[in-house]
Amino acid sequence: METQITREVAPSVWHGWGDPGHARPLGTSALAFLKSGLGVPDVEPRHGPVGLDQVQLSPSTLTESGPGAEALAALRRACGAEHVSTERMARILHAGGKSTPDLLRRRGGDALDAPDAVVFPDGDEEVRAVLAACAQHRLAVTPFGGGTSVVGGVEPHREGFTGTVTLDLGRMDRLLSLDPVSRTATFEAGIRGPALEAALAQHGFTLGHLPQSHQQATLGGYLATRSAGQASTGYGRSDELVSSVHLETPAGPWDAGRDAPGTAAGPDLLHLAVGSEGVLGVITSATMRIAPVAEHHAHGAWSFPSFAAGVEALRLLRHEGHPGDLPQVCRLSDADETFSTLRQGGWKTSALASYLRTRGQQTPALALFVWEGSAEDTRRSRRRSTRILQSAGGVPVGPLPAKAWEHGRFSGPYLRDELLTRGIYVETLETATTWARMDQTYRQVREAIHGAVRDGGGTPFVLTHVSHVYPDGASLYFTTLAGLEQDPLAQNARIKAAASRAIMDAGATITHHHAIGRDHAPYLQEEIGALGIQVLRSVKDTLDPVGIMNPGALIPAPSANANANANVHTTEDNA
């Protein structure tokens, strides 16, 4: 079967997130907190983006009469002239991702790094032809799905190349096949989250992968970055749901993985392709494991006397609970994030805060759960989980907080747009660590962020939550709020560097689900070792001998003494 998806792509603005019509304005209570809590005297919306006509754009190197004319003609032959754009708006929309620095630059009128052209291929053969043309003419290629990277993963890179091309997979959005017996489905990689779920729902299935970027992100983006959806505790991460992928590389087509439940046929090359962030090739299609749409959703929330107590409750739920009882969504906020939630929630959450104080919880940590399945299964899972959560000091507070979170689960990026407009710096970062290191990592990263904000004279507010639970540990997700400094890009770099250093010093991973991109590349060798970097470079040299695929992302640039040290094994490398 091959099903063409109706392309109702959500609108997206060049300076922010998604469709502004979905944004919800900040309430009076939230604005009052921004003034008092962050020490920002003026939170009026005076920091909006420049006009589109003021955005600076470098001239394209790919023109019909200039030195790039032959390369432009080759791209047009590859996928049709109407699907190769050097227009101003197309280039601006593909000038980068959605990190706070990305948005700050574009809002300030800087799109100087925009690609020289955007190509929209349809099918493997057209992708293959585009890559061949780019290799021949030394054009750097940035694969682009929903453009939602927050770590510099889709920023064009032109140094050492004659030009840059962004390869947008938006036309490749079909459901190619569905096997209801084996519960697998094969999609083209350009399909966005809502369209993917709509296609599966027609057959009674779901992927169950719902990251916060769901409305904009694509399947190819999920897999290229090893993303983890908000219900990953129940359904699994994208790298656990994938069975096989097809890539087009400059060296030729590559099928990674096999549609089999298990194999011992050598090292698992599938997971060399998954997480490769476009540096090896372009993921054009993938076969995914799917699940029946749940008959029933059950919601619950518990409050704990501290974040540490809540973390311990999640560990007990994972270790001592029945495996089938684990909620699909498992989310725990620290005291600051809980405070923020209660402050914005109106009288109902104010009453909840008062109730929790009567139970001795002065700085509560709120946990939210969603169970999916049959009505009987969810009822049984909730009942058995309740015993564990209450034994860990949890106080049940009913289903409403979890339902409210579910209703607004995709609204966070819209809120960031309004905060930036009101002169508030906001950025997120995440990691994962073992249960034994959880408290240390949480404290070290928070302290590093607080110190970095104060170094710039600001007052920080740092929100933290756990949203992905594993047998040996869990994720930590940090959101930082502060007043924007005079040089917000320098402010962001200082805070990001301090937090990243704290993560590495704590023995945690530099990224749990945001991927490496360009922002985290300097830390990758510390995580996987010098020899690990050499392995990645060797694979890239095989699949991308000219080096055109997403240069600068994932794999850090070789240092001056890299070759000299390539075969040296130090004590640190072996530790």
Side-chain angles (χ1 to χ4, degrees), residues 206-404:
T206 179
L207 183 63
H209 187 75
L210 300 172
Q212 192 175 61
S213 60
H214 166 72
Q215 294 168 318
Q216 298 288 320
T218 62
L219 176 61
Y222 294 164
L223 297 175
T225 60
R226 293 173 66 180
S227 70
Q230 294 170 338
S232 71
T233 300
Y235 287 99
R237 298 162 50 102
S238 63
D239 50 13
E240 296 171 314
L241 295 171
V242 63
S243 174
S244 64
V245 298
H246 178 82
L247 290 89
E248 290 296 332
T249 81
W254 178 29
D255 290 302
R258 191 166 184 83
D259 296 336
T263 177
D268 187 354
L269 297 183
L270 170 63
H271 290 283
L272 189 61
V274 173
S276 58
E277 301 189 37
V279 306
L280 305 181
V282 183
I283 297 174
T284 60
S285 63
T287 299
M288 308 297 292
R289 301 180 180 95
I290 57 179
V293 173
E295 300 174 12
H296 184 72
H297 287 207
H299 302 78
W302 274 261
S303 181
F304 295 90
S306 67
F307 187 56
V311 168
E312 176 62 8
L314 297 187
R315 186 191 70 79
L316 292 173
L317 193 63
R318 189 64 180 80
H319 284 174
E320 299 184 6
H322 188 279
D325 293 341
L326 202 64
Q328 272 66 27
V329 174
C330 194
R331 189 178 182 91
L332 171 72
S333 295
D334 74 348
D336 284 340
E337 187 168 281
T338 299
F339 169 79
S340 176
T341 299
L342 297 180
R343 188 180 181 94
Q344 297 180 52
W347 71 268
K348 290 183 180 179
T349 48
S350 297
L352 173 59
S354 298
Y355 167 69
L356 292 174
R357 284 194 291 271
T358 68
R359 300 295 299 270
Q361 295 192 4
Q362 304 301 318
T363 54
L366 188 63
L368 310 176
F369 304 103
V370 182
W371 288 266
E372 299 181 18
S374 69
E376 176 57 33
D377 286 343
T378 57
R379 187 163 44 247
R380 181 172 56 249
S381 295
R382 285 190 64 193
R383 185 175 62 250
R384 292 196 295 219
S385 297
T386 294
R387 290 197 290 268
I388 294 174
L389 297 172
Q390 288 182 326
S391 71
V395 173
V397 296
L400 291 182
K403 289 183 176 180

